[in-house]
Amino acid sequence: MRAIVLSGGGAKGSYQIGVWRALRELGISYEIVCGTSVGALNGLFFTTGEYALAKYIWSTIQLEDILKGTDAYFLEKSKTIIPYIGHYLFKGSFDNTPLKKLACELIDLKKLRKSSIRFGIVTTSLPSLYPVKVEVNQLEEDKICSFLLASSALFPAFPTIQIEGQTYMDGGLFDNLPIDFALEMGADQIFAIGLKKGDVLDEKYQNIPNILYLTPSKDLGGVLDFDHQKILANMRLGYEDALHFFQKNHF
């Protein structure tokens, strides 16, 4: 079985949608999707096949769709990390209520249930700081949105998520590229999409056959850089990088 593995990386996740466009054009199918953080949110679309919707969301998204009012304005005007540190120390995490609302509205439960593609995500439990692997297709419907948000709760930028008395935060803390989960789910071919230029696979994967890893040919910017032109450029780059990648690599 072939798996697509999607790493975390916040706003850089638009790159993965560009790669998906290339996969569609090349006729590369898959039976498993595993994602962490923004990779979990994108993974929902990869699982339900809603490419047009994913492209539209990323093409139109603004900071106001992620953060509430004054927090969005603050982040947009901040050019260094120092003002953010001050914001966290005195006010706590940003208010990402708009993102929570958007994410829950975008879940098409019927398409998810009908999909033949298995979908796994990773989050992190607190205070144990232990990675938690969840197969979304098997979740009760009222927990799906919560776990997607838990995987993408980029602490301390975003607040943690409570599910049945347990606290969760971003899965990227321990497994930002969930190849292990894909292997556990039965994948024997893996195409992993990273979001950091020049990143390389962990040594433990380098001797495992049929694992391909694509990373950006250019820097994608910051994890909270939702500049419209940057997002569009990153989508184009993902498409171009993937086409070039598969000229040299074959499944």
Side-chain angles (χ1 to χ4, degrees):
M1 289 190 293
R2 182 178 294 150
I4 303 295
V5 175
L6 305 169
S7 81
K12 296 184 283 187
S14 59
Y15 180 86
Q16 295 169 344
I17 306 304
V19 175
W20 190 13
R21 174 188 169 192
L23 295 179
R24 288 164 55 86
E25 290 186 7
L26 295 169
I28 297 175
S29 60
Y30 47 89
E31 293 75 42
I32 296 170
V33 174
C34 284
T36 296
S37 197
V38 74
L41 297 177
N42 280 339
L44 174 69
F45 296 122
F46 274 72
T47 301
T48 58
E50 296 176 283
Y51 169 76
L53 178 59
K55 180 182 177 183
Y56 172 78
I57 293 297
W58 276 106
S59 298
T60 59
I61 200 164
Q62 302 179 54
L63 264 177
E64 290 77 9
D65 299 314
I66 306 297
L67 302 176
K68 191 171 181 179
T70 56
D71 283 351
Y73 177 81
F74 173 88
L75 184 60
E76 190 171 38
K77 298 301 179 183
S78 298
K79 302 300 181 183
T80 70
I81 192 66
I82 295 175
Y84 166 67
I85 294 173
H87 183 285
Y88 176 70
L89 290 175
F90 291 102
K91 295 185 178 181
S93 301
F94 288 122
D95 186 344
N96 66 334
T97 301
L99 174 61
K100 294 178 181 179
K101 183 174 183 293
L102 177 64
C104 293
E105 288 176 346
L106 290 174
I107 298 173
D108 190 322
L109 292 173
K110 289 184 179 179
K111 288 185 178 180
L112 182 61
R113 292 302 188 204
K114 288 182 179 179
S115 177
S116 61
I117 298 169
R118 296 170 63 193
F119 178 28
I121 64 174
V122 177
T123 183
T124 303
S125 66
L126 294 174
S128 66
L129 295 179
Y130 189 80
V132 176
K133 302 171 184 177
V134 178
E135 191 163 341
V136 177
N137 312 69
Q138 298 178 358
L139 287 173
E140 297 174 13
E141 292 185 356
D142 62 350
K143 293 185 177 64
I144 291 174
C145 184
S146 294
F147 270 105
L148 286 173
L149 291 169
S151 180
S152 55
L154 184 63
F155 187 81
F158 296 165
T160 57
I161 300 294
Q162 300 287 322
I163 304 174
E164 293 187 335
Q166 177 64 55
T167 304
Y168 297 93
M169 61 177 285
D170 195 289
L173 181 64
F174 283 106
D175 197 357
N176 201 46
L177 188 70
I179 290 175
D180 281 344
F181 197 8
L183 292 170
E184 291 171 15
M185 292 174 69
D188 52 24
Q189 290 183 318
I190 291 175
F191 175 51
I193 307 171
L195 296 174
K196 182 180 179 180
K197 179 187 175 184
D199 193 30
V200 295
L201 279 178
D202 189 288
E203 288 185 2
K204 68 179 180 179
Y205 302 124
Q206 292 180 5
N207 293 322
I208 300 177
N210 299 320
I211 296 181
L212 300 180
Y213 186 36
L214 171 65
T215 58
S217 60
K218 300 178 182 178
D219 182 74
L220 300 180
V223 296
L224 292 175
D225 183 3
F226 284 90
D227 176 77
H228 179 65
Q229 293 304 319
K230 185 65 173 177
I231 286 175
L232 294 180
N234 287 345
M235 281 201 291
R236 288 193 298 271
L237 184 66
Y239 173 69
E240 294 165 359
D241 282 356
L243 290 180
H244 182 72
F245 182 85
F246 282 106
Q247 287 177 350
K248 299 181 177 180
N249 300 277
H250 303 280
F251 263 138

